[in-house]
Amino acid sequence: MIQNYAKIALRTLRSQRSYTLLNVVGLTVGMAGGLLIFLFIHYHLSTDRHHAKFDRIFRVVTDLHLEDGSVEYYPEAPLPMAQKLRTAYAPVEQAAYLKMIRELTVSIQRSDQTTPVRFLEHKSTAFVEPELFGILDYQWVRGNPKTALREPNSVVLTESWARRYFGNADPMGQTLNLNHRADATVTGILADPPKTTDTDINLFVSLPTIGQLDPGYDRQDWGNINSTDRIFVALKSPESGAEMEAAMPALLKTQFGKMARFYRFHFQPLADVHFDVKRIVGGAVRSSLLWSLGLVGLFLVLTACINFVNLATAQAIRRSKEVGIRKTLGSTRGQLVRQFLFETVLIVVAAAILALLLVLVTLPLFNQWLSSQLALQLDWPTIGFVVLLFGSIVGLAGGYPAAVLSGFSPWAALKGSLPARAGGNYSLRQGLIVVQFVVCQALIVGAMVVATQVRYMREADLGFNKDNVVMVALPDNQKNRLETLRNELLQYPEIKSVSVSRDPPSGRLLYGGSFKLDNKADWEAYPIRERIADANYLNTYGLRLVAGRNIIQSDTIQEYLVNEAFLQKIGVRNPQQILGRKLHYHLSKVPLPIVGVVKDFHQRSLHEQIGPCLIASYAPFFRQAGIRVSGQNSEQTLDQIRKTWEQLFPNEVFEYSYLDEQLAKFYETESLVFRLVNIFAGIAILICCLGLYGLVSYAVVQRRKEIGVRKVLGASVASIVSLLSGDFLKLVLLAIVVASPIAWWAMNQWLQDFAYRIDLSWWMFALAGVLATGIAFLTVSLQSVKAARVNPVKSLRSE
């Protein structure tokens, strides 16, 4: 029986090549789009779920409540808290401290080389307590997790980093030099962690070693809360999180006294860490984005099914005689249903195979475009999704046409007197077409708004010039060496200016504190942000002075520049009125004068308002140089910078980056959204066009006799095309009307995340409507023109 079904199905599909091809293409694109979205969502939802205690692991985070009512959110917590949690709280099973190292120079002396091989590590290195391995799961290849990091000067490496440092030699017992200050012995080797983790550490340094790399660091200082610090806690039960939250106010009062009112410690479940965008500038993924993508993926699959139904029912009249003959010869309705479902299965199998191949081919490009690491692996979630997808499509796409076709009366089918509605509910299909184009129109509007906002962020006036500035790290801040670096770099004609500072005007890190103005007794209730830099800062970055003068070059703070936002905050309208007034800030024991006002500049991304800021010179904090270059002969200029830098810092690893590239990382999430919307808007439009093409085909079949009569009576090709296109364009216009307010609301909500944003304009919706209408018209015209050019004699004879 199955062989008979297969033989008939293959004959039918072969005889209707166009119909088969359209269905296979539509389902292939829809399934591939759905599978890509599934892989993307699965990747992010599986982050850190490989830890056995996943539901009991929490990260302690800090909220800073300022007196003006504002709240700042940080992912860090104080180091001594880990020991306190371990020893004083019964619900805590284990707690550990992890301090990421921003820059670490690793030197390795190899026997076949006279000078050490050096690596400059920016991420994936951290000081940790050994208790961390009782919370997060790592597979130990060598060494003992309880003792490997107990002593100073010990490190643990992942396998890939061990090979990177030592090649094929046995890494155990080998020595690493860290920042030229401490030698450390490899005491353990870990298997590489999964890519789906937010704690991507490859070099673990024992916490006691921190005293040698940073002698001034106080491990018992509760007030030293740094952006690199993390505390992870494994509770005995997931429900204990609320109990620990309730215990934090008492701990804060004990450790911070009167200052406790500014702090809140929270126990954040590990499941929420990956999606916590308010504590991470750029790079995080909102959970709402995943759910939105899930809806888009569902829409893609449903749209492909709808198209299948439309195309199948468009063939209903054509296959009516086949049904009539089969029923006359004794076929039951059940046998016909199985026959039609078998045809559907063959089409879906072909589409599924092509979809898998399409995903395999496009996945590297998809990963490159989205900067992701998705992989098509045959794990149980993926296999389950593919099976569910396959079964759903067969049921949704094949069930309805099979029920319609098998239900024909054999007498009416053979006589050719089936009613027009025999091919299914035409109004229902019109409604589905409207739904398809509502989503397409919304996606097109979304793509335009996201593209416009991203372009606005990249081209916005930041208050300084971010172009052609090369950033290089400073291994130390010795005055003579920094002056030599600056003087020698300025010998090159392509280098226009050099400034040393702690940070460029806009950066991920934001330091600050409270202040007092003049002789006021109380500190202000809001913070002022700081930029520590030399006197060349304004010239190098193009900051504009609106009143007063620049600061003088100094190793210690002698005077301040402030920005316009500072004046606005304290209620001073005329910049001249602030000059000479004294500002008391924690970096100086005494109040110091304000000597100038600079035009506002963005200290972080455009998500945040520009806040009050000061600029002061304080040499101990200098850690990088900004070098403004002409932009010509870039390679030669970079080579000159490298040679000069390496002469002054011969034992360090030279690296550079352009400031505009650093700032672009602020908007990684928005860039990701922009790419995703573009990809899936294109797929959705393609599937919608296939669906529209199928519906036009159905209409042409239904109106073949009418078209023939109209042509006999003198109707032109244009009038026939207009007749056929008009009905469908009305559906598209209806979809535009329905989609526009929905898209306006959704994009307006998205834009609320930006302190500086574009305004939604009518032209975005109009242009999206023109695009949708144009695409629909071209799709409809392909079939309409073909129908209008058919010889009316053939049309009438066939009827």
Side-chain angles (χ1 to χ4, degrees):
M1 182 63 74
I2 294 178
Q3 185 178 6
N4 188 44
Y5 285 153
K7 187 182 296 182
I8 295 173
L10 289 173
R11 284 177 182 170
T12 302
L13 297 178
R14 192 161 52 234
S15 66
Q16 300 172 2
R17 291 185 179 84
S18 299
Y19 157 78
T20 305
L21 181 64
L22 279 174
N23 274 326
V24 170
V25 171
L27 287 174
T28 298
V29 175
M31 294 175 76
L35 186 54
L36 283 173
I37 289 176
F38 167 79
L39 293 176
F40 185 86
I41 294 174
H42 178 52
Y43 177 86
H44 288 284
L45 288 182
S46 61
T47 298
D48 280 321
R49 287 185 180 270
H50 62 280
H51 300 299
K53 301 174 183 174
F54 176 80
D55 62 334
R56 296 192 284 125
I57 298 175
F58 293 78
R59 181 178 72 172
V60 182
V61 298
T62 304
D63 293 350
L64 185 61
H65 290 253
L66 304 177
E67 288 192 353
D68 64 351
S70 61
V71 182
E72 298 182 354
Y73 303 95
Y74 300 99
E76 58 261 28
L79 186 152
M81 190 175 183
Q83 174 67 20
K84 189 71 175 178
L85 292 175
R86 279 197 295 267
T87 57
Y89 294 90
V92 175
E93 178 182 291
Q94 192 55 277
Y97 181 83
L98 181 150
K99 181 179 182 62
M100 292 177 288
I101 307 174
R102 289 200 184 99
E103 289 184 350
L104 181 69
T105 301
V106 179
S107 304
I108 299 169
Q109 184 63 62
R110 292 175 176 164
S111 58
D112 58 343
Q113 296 177 341
T114 55
T115 58
V117 179
R118 295 191 174 90
F119 302 83
L120 181 57
E121 312 293 5
H122 294 284
K123 296 180 179 178
S124 298
T125 62
F127 298 106
V128 298
E129 294 177 304
E131 287 80 4
L132 183 74
F133 300 110
I135 301 172
L136 305 179
D137 290 344
Y138 288 89
Q139 183 181 348
W140 283 76
V141 179
R142 307 276 297 276
N144 186 333
K146 294 183 179 178
T147 59
L149 292 177
R150 189 65 65 186
E151 300 299 325
N153 302 84
S154 54
V155 298
V156 171
L157 299 171
T158 60
E159 287 182 301
S160 60
W161 277 42
R163 285 193 298 272
R164 181 167 166 250
Y165 287 154
F166 304 108
N168 295 325
D170 183 1
M172 290 295 286
Q174 299 272 9
T175 301
L176 304 176
N177 181 271
L178 308 176
N179 278 352
H180 312 293
R181 293 184 174 180
D183 288 333
T185 303
V186 179
T187 55
I189 301 297
L190 303 174
D192 288 344
K195 295 177 181 176
T196 51
T197 180
D198 286 331
T199 50
D200 183 24
I201 305 299
N202 288 279
L203 192 162
F204 299 83
V205 184
S206 63
L207 187 57
T209 314
I210 196 172
Q212 299 174 52
L213 299 185
D214 187 0
Y217 192 86
D218 185 357
R219 292 168 55 187
Q220 302 304 321
D221 184 1
W222 281 76
N224 189 1
I225 304 177
N226 197 289
S227 61
T228 58
D229 304 347
R230 302 287 185 272
I231 286 185
F232 291 98
V233 181
L235 300 180
K236 293 176 181 174
S237 72
E239 293 74 22
S240 300
E243 182 181 349
M244 292 303 300
E245 289 261 355
M248 289 301 101
L251 177 63
L252 279 166
K253 192 171 183 179
T254 302
Q255 299 299 332
F256 292 90
K258 294 181 180 178
M259 300 295 288
R261 69 181 191 277
F262 295 114
Y263 295 95
R264 302 284 190 280
F265 290 143
H266 297 289
F267 280 66
Q268 182 182 47
L270 191 59
D272 296 340
V273 170
H274 187 64
F275 306 104
D276 188 1
V277 294
K278 67 183 179 183
R279 298 180 197 275
I280 302 175
V281 181
V285 174
R286 292 177 186 277
S287 57
S288 59
L289 172 64
L290 298 187
W291 297 119
S292 300
L293 279 176
L295 289 175
V296 172
L298 181 63
F299 163 76
L300 293 179
V301 174
L302 287 177
T303 303
C305 293
I306 291 169
N307 293 346
F308 188 100
V309 172
N310 283 339
L311 290 170
T313 51
Q315 304 295 318
I317 301 299
R318 187 177 295 175
R319 299 189 67 176
S320 60
K321 289 185 179 178
E322 174 193 341
V323 173
I325 292 172
R326 286 176 180 275
K327 283 195 169 182
T328 303
L329 294 177
S331 292
T332 64
R333 185 169 185 178
Q335 289 174 322
L336 288 173
V337 167
R338 286 193 289 275
Q339 175 63 51
F340 292 129
L341 282 177
F342 199 89
E343 293 176 12
T344 304
V345 168
L346 290 182
I347 291 175
V348 177
V349 166
I353 294 172
L354 291 174
L356 288 172
L357 292 175
L358 185 60
V359 169
L360 283 173
V361 171
T362 57
L363 200 52
L365 183 63
F366 193 78
N367 279 331
Q368 183 180 6
W369 209 28
L370 299 182
S371 300
S372 59
Q373 303 181 64
L374 308 184
L376 182 58
Q377 297 174 332
L378 294 181
D379 52 14
W380 285 113
T382 305
I383 293 173
F385 175 77
V386 172
V387 171
L388 179 64
L389 184 65
F390 182 86
S392 301
I393 291 177
V394 171
L396 291 172
Y400 179 69
V404 171
L405 292 172
S406 63
F408 287 166
S409 163
W411 171 254
L414 291 173
K415 191 178 177 182
S417 58
L418 288 170
R421 64 177 183 277
N425 192 322
Y426 187 69
S427 298
L428 175 61
R429 287 197 297 274
Q430 286 179 312
L432 294 175
I433 288 292
V434 171
V435 172
Q436 288 180 345
F437 272 88
V438 165
V439 178
C440 279
Q441 171 73 5
L443 286 173
I444 294 173
V445 171
M448 286 186 175
V449 173
V450 174
T452 307
Q453 175 66 21
V454 170
R455 185 171 63 249
Y456 168 76
M457 292 187 294
R458 289 175 177 168
E459 298 176 356
D461 181 7
L462 301 178
F464 61 94
N465 186 356
K466 68 181 188 305
D467 299 323
N468 296 323
V469 178
V470 179
M471 304 300 301
V472 297
L474 298 174
D476 64 54
N477 45 33
Q478 294 181 21
K479 181 179 179 181
N480 293 338
R481 192 174 288 183
L482 298 186
E483 287 182 357
T484 303
L485 174 69
R486 180 174 181 276
N487 293 333
E488 293 195 8
L489 287 175
L490 290 176
Q491 299 299 315
Y492 299 109
E494 302 297 342
I495 296 176
K496 303 303 179 185
S497 179
V498 179
S499 171
V500 293
S501 61
R502 180 160 65 179
D503 296 292
S506 186
R508 288 180 181 272
L509 300 178
L510 207 56
Y511 303 93
S514 188
F515 67 96
K516 290 192 292 186
L517 200 59
D518 300 326
N519 296 319
K520 288 183 67 174
D522 298 326
W523 296 84
E524 295 293 342
Y526 53 88
I528 186 171
R529 302 304 179 185
E530 63 186 48
R531 284 290 179 260
I532 304 301
D534 66 2
N536 300 299
Y537 198 64
L538 271 59
N539 181 41
T540 301
Y541 293 101
L543 293 163
R544 284 158 277 182
L545 199 63
V546 297
R549 60 169 175 80
N550 192 8
I551 54 175
I552 59 174
Q553 189 68 38
S554 174
D555 294 339
T556 58
I557 296 178
Q558 301 292 325
E559 51 197 14
Y560 298 109
L561 295 175
V562 295
N563 66 347
E564 294 174 314
F566 175 82
L567 303 189
Q568 186 178 1
K569 195 73 177 179
I570 63 173
V572 174
R573 292 186 177 182
N574 186 351
Q576 299 292 337
Q577 294 177 352
I578 197 66
L579 302 180
R581 296 177 66 177
K582 291 193 173 181
L583 186 148
H584 194 179
Y585 188 60
H586 70 91
L587 291 179
S588 172
K589 295 181 180 179
V590 297
L592 296 172
I594 297 170
V595 298
V597 179
V598 296
K599 190 173 179 60
D600 277 340
F601 60 94
H602 288 270
Q603 298 131 32
R604 292 227 281 192
S605 73
L606 271 67
H607 291 88
E608 301 177 16
Q609 290 280 356
I610 297 175
C613 181
L614 62 82
I615 300 174
S617 180
Y618 188 57
F621 282 1
F622 294 161
R623 66 182 188 190
Q624 56 185 319
I627 305 167
R628 176 162 294 284
V629 299
S630 67
Q632 300 174 346
N633 302 321
S634 298
E635 291 188 7
Q636 180 182 346
T637 305
L638 288 173
D639 191 52
Q640 292 165 344
I641 294 173
R642 180 183 60 79
K643 289 179 179 176
T644 304
W645 190 93
E646 288 180 342
Q647 287 174 356
L648 290 167
F649 307 104
N651 295 324
E652 306 294 342
V653 181
F654 174 77
E655 284 187 354
Y656 73 92
S657 63
Y658 282 97
L659 179 59
D660 55 349
E661 294 173 350
Q662 289 184 5
L663 300 185
K665 293 180 180 176
F666 284 167
Y667 310 111
E668 286 179 342
T669 300
E670 287 71 30
S671 298
L672 177 66
V673 172
F674 171 64
R675 292 167 188 147
L676 287 171
V677 170
N678 275 287
I679 290 172
F680 294 112
I683 293 175
I685 290 170
L686 175 60
I687 296 176
C688 284
C689 289
L690 289 173
L692 194 58
Y693 187 84
L695 198 58
V696 175
S697 302
Y698 174 78
V700 167
V701 171
Q702 292 288 82
R703 304 177 71 172
R704 181 180 298 165
K705 185 175 181 179
E706 177 191 349
I707 294 171
V709 171
R710 285 178 179 273
K711 290 202 68 174
V712 168
L713 295 177
S716 63
V717 172
S719 65
I720 298 295
V721 171
S722 175
L723 174 70
L724 292 172
S725 304
D727 291 342
F728 297 103
L729 293 182
K730 288 177 185 174
L731 298 178
V732 175
L733 292 175
L734 176 61
I736 293 172
V737 172
V738 174
S740 294
I742 298 173
W744 181 89
W745 178 84
M747 298 318 300
N748 193 51
Q749 292 296 312
W750 182 75
L751 287 171
Q752 296 307 310
D753 289 334
F754 301 91
Y756 300 89
R757 54 184 178 263
I758 60 170
D759 294 323
L760 291 176
S761 302
W762 65 268
W763 66 264
M764 297 176 183
F765 299 88
L767 182 56
V770 170
L771 282 174
T773 306
I775 293 170
F777 180 74
L778 287 174
T779 305
V780 173
S781 297
L782 290 175
Q783 190 69 338
S784 300
V785 170
K786 182 180 176 183
R789 293 171 68 90
V790 171
N791 187 336
V793 176
K794 291 184 178 179
S795 301
L796 294 173
R797 186 169 54 193
S798 66
E799 294 292 326

